[in-house]
Amino acid sequence: MTAPVSLAAPSLRRRMASWLYEAFLLFAIGLIAALVFSVAVDMRNAMDARRWLLQGFLVLVFAVYFSYLWSKGQTLPMKTWRIAIVDRHGRRPTQGRALLRYVYCSMWFAAPLAAYAAGRFNLRELAVVAAGWVAFWALLSRFHPQRQFWHDAWAGTRLVDAG
């Protein structure tokens, strides 16, 4: 990866396009990881009591994926949209900082998961809650002095143009 040209934040449109591409990629990674887990523990039903283990396994797989690739500077969707991740000093983040960013990124899913846990919403309503929350969380970056996502500010990272 070449050094970022500027420490300016990429446009919100590019960041969200990368985010959407990442979601499709994570779906594939999660599908493969779930298949491996299901075969390894002989889990034949999604409502199996071990589904909590599967969910924990997927969180771990995604944590490894993100902390490794972010510490290298980019994921594939970030490369596609010419976005890099750096720390406050413009260097690639450490794996620890990347893992911290992964934890803070859970804010993207906090409201939808809380709505799901409440058990009072149907699938369509949950989709509206999720879409509204993602839009709200993305637009909050407009209130950050450098137009960064707030989870980046908290984790000591920033998204920059990769050039």
Side-chain angles (χ1 to χ4, degrees), residues 43-76:
M43 186 175 172
R44 297 171 188 235
N45 184 336
M47 299 311 292
D48 189 305
R50 294 172 286 186
R51 71 180 177 274
W52 300 107
L53 288 174
L54 172 60
Q55 291 169 351
F57 178 71
L58 290 174
V59 167
L60 182 63
V61 167
F62 295 150
V64 169
Y65 167 82
F66 281 119
S67 65
Y68 176 76
L69 290 175
W70 284 339
S71 70
K72 301 296 180 198
Q74 295 172 301
T75 63
L76 177 61

Side-chain angles (χ1 to χ4, degrees), residues 3 15-16 18 35 37 73 76 79 83 85 89 98 110 126 130 138:
R15 288 182 285 166
M16 293 311 294
S18 177
L35 175 65
F37 179 87
L76 177 61
K79 284 181 185 180
I83 297 171
I85 184 169
H89 307 290
L126 282 172

Side-chain angles (χ1 to χ4, degrees), residues 105-134:
C105 281
S106 67
M107 291 303 297
W108 285 96
F109 305 103
L113 287 174
Y116 173 75
R120 289 183 262 151
F121 299 94
N122 64 37
L123 191 56
R124 182 175 296 135
E125 292 167 338
L126 282 172
V128 170
V129 168
W133 181 253
V134 166

Side-chain angles (χ1 to χ4, degrees), residues 26-38:
L26 287 178
F27 179 78
I29 291 168
L31 194 62
I32 293 167
L35 175 65
V36 168
F37 179 87
S38 297

Side-chain angles (χ1 to χ4, degrees), residues 80-95:
T80 302
W81 288 95
R82 297 177 328 276
I83 297 171
I85 184 169
V86 296
D87 66 12
R88 287 186 179 121
H89 307 290
R91 298 181 301 241
R92 289 181 180 167
T94 63
Q95 277 196 309

